[in-house]
Amino acid sequence: MNRSNLDLPSRRGLLAAGAVAAAASFVGPSASADTGEVTEEGTGFGPVTVRPGDTRYDSLLRGNNFRFVGRPDEIRVVGSTQQVVRAVTDAVRSGRTVAVRSGGHCFENFTADLAVRMLLDLSPMDAVGYDAARGAFSVQPGATLGHVYRTLFKGWGVTIPAGGCPEVGAGGHFAGGGYGPLSRRYGSVVDHLYGVEVVVVDREGTARAVVATREPDDPHRDLFWAHTGAGGGNFGVVTRYWLRSPGASGSDPSKLLPSAPREQLAVLVNWAWDEQMTQRAFTRLLHNFGTWHERHSAPDSPYAGLYAILIPTHHSAGGFLMTVQIDADIPNAAGMVTDFVKAVTADTGLAGKVTPLTMPWLHPTTWPGTGEPGNVGTRRYKIKAGYLRRSFTGAQLAAIYRNLTNSTGTPGGGMLLVGYGGQVGAVPSNATAVAQRDVIMKAVYQTIWSAESADATNLAWVRNFYRDVYADTGGVPVPGAVSDGSYINYPDTDLADPTWNTSGVPWHTLYYKDNYPRLQQIKARWDPRDVFHHALSIRPPA
C-alpha cells in the first residue's frame, strides 16, 4: 500500500566488473511453491514505534507536500517484510486505519489523512540487488529512484525507464506504472516488472506476505497484474519488487534489463515572456510540440529515444523553458535534437536561448539538485494532469494562454507537456493496469507555494485553469479523440468531486478506463475487508 511514489514533474532535471556485481548481488527471500508466502528473518533494523511526544515524531510526520499533515497514534518504522506483517496485524486487530509511506511524495493526503491511525514508514527497506534465485533484480519500496539507478548502473550497467526525480521512493512509483526520460525508448517501469511481494489481509483478518509474478501459471498472477499501474494503497503493502524485461533470459544480470546510456546529450531552450511572446507565438509553440509528438510517437519511430518536456510557466515568472534529452550514442542524436527544436519553434518567430549540455548519464540522472521546490522550510503544491492522444485543440490552447497570462497566477504556477508514447504504445491496454497506451503526451498543471495563507489563491487558480482547458468535457480530460483520462501517480481528488468534475464520467474511468472492473474483482479477492483504502482507492464491487 505504498502511496509515496510520485515523481513531481516540476522537479525534473536534465536528465561492470565482476567483483562489483558479486558484492551488490544477494539471494532474496524464499517463497513456498504452494502458497507464495515469504519466509524471512529480520534485517536487523526495527521495528521502531514513534508516538506523539517523541522527539522524532514531528520529523517523521510530514511527507513532501506540506499541505497535508496527519496525526497518527503511531509511526511504525519497519525494516523487513515480517515487521510489516506484524504491524498490519496490530492495526487490523485494533481496528485502526493504516497507511504506508516509502518516499513521501504523494500529491494528495493519502498518507496524511486524519483518519490514519498507524503510519508505516518503509524507508529503511531500501535494498537493491540481483536475486539469483528468481533471476531478477530485487528492489525494496524504500529505495529512492536515485539509489536504484546508481546500484543498477554501478553493478551491472543496466537501468529502468523510471522517473526523473531521484528522491522519489520506488514504493508507489512502480505500482502506479512509473515512467520517465527513457520510457519512449523502453516503455513504462511496469513493462519490466516480473513480480511483487505484498502483505495482504484475508477475510478473517489474517495478514500474510504473498509473492505474485507474471508467470502464466502463477495462481496469484491477478495480484501481480493489479500492481502494474493501479497505484498504491489498494490491495496491500508492497514490500519488494522484482524486475526483469520480457523476453530476457539467461544467468547474466547485465542482459536482463535495458542497458543504461553511456552519455546524455541534452538541450535547454529558454524563452522570455516579452513582447515577442504573443498569443499567436505561444499557442503555435505548444501546437508544434504536440504535432511533433503526433508524428513521432509510434513504437518503431526513430525518434523514440528523444524525450522532451515543455514547461510554460505563468507570465509572472518572466520566462519558461523546454528540456530535450537523448542517449548521445543513438545514431544522429545531435541531428535529431536539432530537427526537433526547429520543428517546435517553426513559424513562431521565437528563437529562444539554446544551451547544449553533454555529460555522463549517471550524473544528471541522480543528482539531488534536480530538485525539490525552492523553499526548504515548507513546500505546498497542487498537481492536476491529463493524458493526450493528440495536440490540444485551438480552444484549449487559447485557454492555456489565457490562464498563464491572467492576473491571479503566481510565479509558482504553470504546466508541463511531457513527451510520452514510443514503446509505451507497444503494449496492449489490458496487458497491464495502465490502460492509456496510445497516448503521446502527459499534461501537468501545477502551482507551488510556501505560505499556508496562500492556499486558497493557489488552489483556485490551478483548479480554474484545469477546468477552463477541459471546459468542453465537463472540466476533466474525458477519454476521446484528444484526451484519455489521467495518470494515477498524479492523483487528484478533484476528479471525484462533482464540483470540479461535471462530466458525468466517474474518476475511476478517468484513471483506469475499462480495466476498472477487473481491478475491483482483484480487490474483492485480496482485500475483502477493504483494509487498504484512501480517497481514490479501488472500491470493492457492489
Side-chain angles (χ1 to χ4, degrees):
M1 184 181 54
N2 306 292
R3 303 170 183 168
S4 63
N5 59 313
L6 301 163
D7 57 321
L8 184 61
S10 64
R11 298 165 302 158
R12 293 184 186 279
L14 294 178
L15 294 178
V20 173
S25 66
F26 70 98
V27 176
S30 61
S32 162
D34 294 328
T35 66
E37 295 183 14
V38 173
T39 58
E40 177 193 55
E41 298 300 324
T43 62
F45 180 91
V48 174
T49 299
V50 177
R51 295 187 174 91
D54 191 305
T55 57
R56 297 167 291 182
Y57 184 81
D58 288 344
S59 292
L60 298 179
L61 192 60
R62 293 178 184 267
N64 184 265
N65 191 347
F66 280 29
R67 286 178 57 212
F68 306 114
V69 183
R71 199 70 184 172
D73 300 330
E74 65 175 86
I75 302 170
R76 189 84 62 96
V77 189
V78 291
S80 73
T81 298
Q82 289 304 320
Q83 290 177 23
V84 173
V85 171
R86 289 193 290 273
V88 172
T89 297
D90 291 347
V92 172
R93 288 177 177 173
S94 61
R96 289 179 292 170
T97 299
V98 60
V100 176
R101 185 173 67 207
S102 54
H105 289 71
C106 189
F107 292 174
E108 295 287 6
N109 71 334
F110 297 170
T111 63
D113 192 316
L114 292 176
V116 172
R117 306 319 312 157
M118 178 191 287
L119 176 62
L120 285 184
D121 184 336
L122 304 186
S123 58
M125 299 177 64
D126 62 355
V128 179
Y130 179 63
D131 183 344
R134 294 194 181 277
F137 290 93
S138 174
V139 176
Q140 289 187 310
T144 64
L145 297 184
H147 178 47
V148 174
Y149 294 142
R150 282 188 293 270
T151 305
L152 294 179
F153 182 78
K154 291 178 180 180
W156 303 275
V158 298
T159 192
I160 54 174
C165 295
E167 296 306 311
V168 167
H173 179 73
F174 288 8
Y179 85 101
L182 292 175
S183 288
R184 282 172 51 85
R185 191 177 183 186
Y186 295 124
S188 297
V189 173
V190 293
D191 299 338
H192 302 269
L193 187 65
Y194 174 75
V196 289
E197 174 185 288
V198 190
V199 174
V200 297
V201 178
D202 64 19
R203 193 171 298 279
E204 286 68 44
T206 301
R208 62 189 178 109
V210 174
V211 171
T213 72
R214 69 181 181 219
E215 297 294 341
D217 59 350
D218 189 328
H220 308 133
R221 194 175 189 280
D222 62 339
L223 184 62
F224 161 80
W225 183 86
H227 287 87
T228 61
N234 288 303
F235 310 99
V237 184
V238 178
T239 49
R240 193 180 306 270
Y241 295 96
W242 285 275
L243 298 158
R244 185 175 75 224
S245 297
S249 60
S251 58
D252 183 354
S254 68
K255 306 298 184 184
L256 301 181
L257 285 174
S259 296
R262 177 187 63 87
E263 191 172 58
Q264 174 180 289
L265 169 63
V267 167
L268 293 177
V269 186
N270 288 269
W271 294 280
W273 275 108
D274 56 18
E275 63 276 2
Q276 292 184 319
M277 191 59 69
T278 62
Q279 179 171 351
R280 182 195 174 281
F282 177 84
T283 56
R284 185 69 188 183
L285 192 74
L286 270 62
H287 172 78
N288 289 348
F289 188 89
T291 55
W292 185 94
H293 282 87
E294 289 180 25
R295 296 166 182 164
H296 300 288
S297 294
D300 60 351
S301 170
Y303 287 90
L306 187 150
Y307 175 75
I309 310 176
L310 181 60
I311 314 175
T313 55
H314 191 266
H315 79 98
S316 58
F320 60 92
L321 60 85
M322 178 175 70
T323 70
V324 191
Q325 64 188 71
I326 192 171
D327 180 344
D329 290 329
I330 290 177
N332 192 35
M336 288 184 178
V337 173
T338 298
D339 290 346
F340 172 77
V341 173
K342 287 181 179 178
V344 172
T345 57
D347 194 31
T348 64
L350 303 172
K353 179 183 177 182
V354 179
T355 306
L357 300 168
T358 302
M359 62 187 74
W361 175 79
L362 189 64
H363 178 76
T365 302
T366 60
W367 180 52
T370 55
E372 302 296 342
N375 191 321
V376 297
T378 178
R379 57 180 68 89
R380 310 173 77 83
Y381 52 83
K382 175 67 175 179
I383 309 292
K384 303 170 77 67
Y387 283 109
L388 284 161
R389 301 179 69 193
R390 49 158 291 187
S391 183
F392 285 117
T393 66
Q396 289 177 315
L397 291 171
I400 292 170
Y401 180 82
R402 182 163 56 246
N403 284 274
L404 292 181
T405 57
N406 62 18
S407 61
T408 56
T410 69
M415 69 179 301
L416 300 90
L417 281 178
V418 185
Y420 200 50
Q423 280 297 311
V424 171
V427 178
S429 62
N430 62 355
T432 65
V434 179
Q436 294 89 349
R437 289 290 184 168
D438 65 347
V439 294
I440 60 169
M441 294 183 291
K442 296 190 183 190
V444 181
Y445 309 78
Q446 65 182 21
T447 181
I448 304 169
W449 67 100
S450 296
E452 184 176 356
S453 60
D455 283 5
T457 298
N458 280 272
L459 290 171
W461 179 81
V462 75
R463 283 168 167 162
N464 285 315
F465 178 14
Y466 190 79
R467 180 164 60 183
D468 197 12
V469 172
Y470 300 108
D472 291 341
T473 53
V476 296
V478 173
V482 175
S483 296
D484 204 21
S486 192
Y487 176 45
I488 193 58
N489 272 4
Y490 300 157
D492 176 11
T493 56
D494 292 348
L495 299 189
D497 185 344
T499 301
W500 298 103
N501 178 2
T502 61
S503 70
V505 177
W507 65 268
H508 51 77
T509 297
L510 298 174
Y511 285 118
Y512 303 116
K513 300 177 68 176
D514 294 340
N515 285 340
Y516 188 66
R518 181 177 177 185
L519 290 168
Q520 287 187 290
Q521 294 302 317
I522 298 171
K523 174 76 168 179
R525 177 185 178 189
W526 290 103
D527 185 22
R529 298 164 64 105
D530 197 22
V531 171
F532 307 106
H533 59 268
H534 54 77
L536 295 177
S537 59
I538 306 298
R539 307 294 193 251

